[in-house]
Amino acid sequence: MVVPTFVWIATIVGIIGLLAFDFFFHVRQAHEPTLRESAIWSAIYVGIALLFGVGVWVFGGAQMGTEYFAGYVTEKALSVDNLFVFLIIMSSFAVPRKDQQKVLLFGIAFALIARSVFIALGAALINSFAWIFYIFGIILLVTAGKLLVPEDEGSSADNVMIRIAKRFLRTSNHYDGDKLFTYENGRRVLTPMLLVMVAIGGTDILFALDSVPAIYGLTTNVFLVFTATAFSLLGLRQLYFLIDGLLDRLIYLKYGLATILGFIGVKLILHALHENNVPFINDGEHVNVVEITTGLSLTVIIGVLALTVVASLLSPAGRAKTLVHGVRRHAKEYLAVAYDVGDEERAEIYARMVEEESKLDTLAPRYRDELDEDGVLYLLEKAHARHAKLSG
């Protein structure tokens, strides 16, 4: 089905309008969103995406509707996985909690731009080269394999762009609110806030390399690819603050995503074989293979995600990681701002850290033994020592 130009224009204007609304009414004034605020706006953005999908189903038919929802659910799951990396980056740079909204919104906007570029390139390649589905399928299978390999979390914030910026540009080690530039000793320098945005922008490009082939494995309709991707990103900022404490608890999410990406990769390769025109495969003739329907894909995607989320939330290991994450975050927050805030605010931050620390006693012995390996005990010791110094 060919989507009319006016529908494209109206959709793009609507998406830009939602981003502008988010900035001027929520992000422009730095603050830490409450759980209630995050829950309400997350529900609103998910509701908008679902209503749009219903509209696609009504006006475009069941096939288009199914393809949209399959793409949206997959991209949303991948976006949640991206939040893990955003969390690591912002934790590594000790971004103040109230300023994290601006970083997230920048990441969302840049991700939308990067993925739009890759969507356009993907459409051009598909129209010109049928064999590109083989490449997309292999990319997804490789990505699925990489998700199963343990990563060094500390490396995520130190990408090439950051190293170049630190080497050739004047940078500051201190924040100046949410400003990107500040003055030190009469010289204009970059703040860590700008470096955080550079780090997130760089990772967004890598994310696009995975997410675009994934959704093209579910639909080749460019309008559906773009809208499912865009709506999966909108509301991601609110979702971050809503499930921040649960992110580390979703310990099996990567396995679920690896299963989904591997499944879509196989689906793409089967489709490529069915449409085959590569000379060295079956003499350039199509291969008579079974193709996976979009309806089956949607069922598998939702089923795998539900299973991995439920398993994660019920897992004692997931609960342990949630507690450890909370303690680590509060300790880093205290160490980052201890010298820059008043006595009352510093005492409040310290009290929150101590409250989280007290919960560690509820952990099973085998999980408490891992605290030293994660560096949590060192951070706590350092935070207590600094508090004693500043208080005494």
Side-chain angles (χ1 to χ4, degrees), residues 1-285:
M1 177 182 174
V2 178
V3 179
T5 303
F6 78 88
V7 175
W8 267 102
I9 294 173
T11 302
I12 293 172
V13 170
I15 290 169
I16 294 174
L18 288 172
L19 285 172
F21 174 84
D22 211 12
F23 174 77
F24 287 106
F25 290 92
H26 292 119
V27 177
R28 195 174 186 182
Q29 184 66 40
H31 72 285
E32 181 179 345
T34 64
L35 187 64
R36 182 174 181 272
E37 176 187 341
S38 300
I40 290 173
W41 283 104
S42 292
I44 288 173
Y45 278 107
V46 171
I48 291 172
L50 295 179
L51 284 175
F52 185 86
V54 171
V56 170
W57 195 297
V58 171
F59 294 103
Q63 180 64 25
M64 282 189 68
T66 304
E67 290 179 1
Y68 168 82
F69 282 115
Y72 173 72
V73 172
T74 301
E75 291 297 303
K76 196 70 174 178
L78 290 171
S79 296
V80 170
D81 186 54
N82 296 351
L83 288 181
F84 282 95
V85 180
F86 289 174
L87 179 65
I88 292 168
I89 291 174
M90 288 193 287
S91 177
S92 299
F93 282 95
V95 180
R97 187 76 169 165
K98 65 180 181 179
D99 296 323
Q100 290 180 2
Q101 289 201 92
K102 182 169 286 188
V103 176
L104 287 167
L105 188 60
F106 167 82
I108 291 166
F110 192 88
L112 184 55
I113 293 170
R115 294 185 192 192
S116 296
V117 171
F118 280 98
I119 287 169
L121 289 174
L125 289 171
I126 288 170
N127 290 331
S128 302
F129 310 103
W131 50 261
I132 198 65
F133 285 110
Y134 287 115
I135 304 299
F136 282 179
I138 292 171
I139 289 174
L140 293 183
L141 291 175
V142 171
T143 302
K146 287 171 59 180
L147 283 173
L148 301 177
V149 178
E151 296 180 352
D152 178 12
E153 293 187 352
S155 65
S156 298
D158 189 27
N159 60 30
V160 175
M161 297 175 71
I162 289 296
R163 291 198 292 271
I164 292 175
K166 286 183 175 179
R167 181 173 182 179
F168 295 102
L169 301 174
R170 291 193 294 270
T171 61
S172 168
N173 293 323
H174 305 287
Y175 287 94
D176 185 5
D178 59 3
K179 295 179 181 177
L180 304 182
F181 298 90
T182 189
Y183 286 89
E184 283 189 353
N185 302 320
R187 302 172 68 187
R188 195 165 188 250
V189 295
L190 307 178
T191 69
M193 182 64 70
L194 183 59
L195 296 179
V196 173
M197 291 185 175
V198 170
I200 285 182
T203 56
D204 276 334
I205 294 174
L206 297 178
F207 292 151
L209 292 173
D210 298 333
S211 67
V212 172
I215 193 168
Y216 268 122
L218 299 167
T219 177
T220 55
N221 186 311
V222 180
F223 180 75
L224 298 182
V225 171
F226 172 74
T227 53
T229 300
F231 283 116
S232 72
L233 292 171
L234 293 175
L236 201 60
R237 176 184 64 80
Q238 292 86 349
L239 187 63
Y240 172 86
F241 288 97
L242 180 63
I243 67 171
D244 179 16
L246 290 176
L247 279 175
D248 272 3
R249 191 163 185 172
L250 300 177
I251 59 174
Y252 299 126
L253 180 62
K254 284 190 178 294
Y255 298 105
L257 289 176
T259 301
I260 290 170
L261 292 180
F263 173 80
I264 298 175
V266 171
K267 182 179 186 295
L268 276 170
I269 291 175
L270 289 175
H271 177 72
L273 289 169
H274 188 269
E275 303 292 327
N276 179 63
N277 59 7
V278 178
F280 56 84
I281 298 178
N282 199 35
D283 295 325
E285 299 294 328

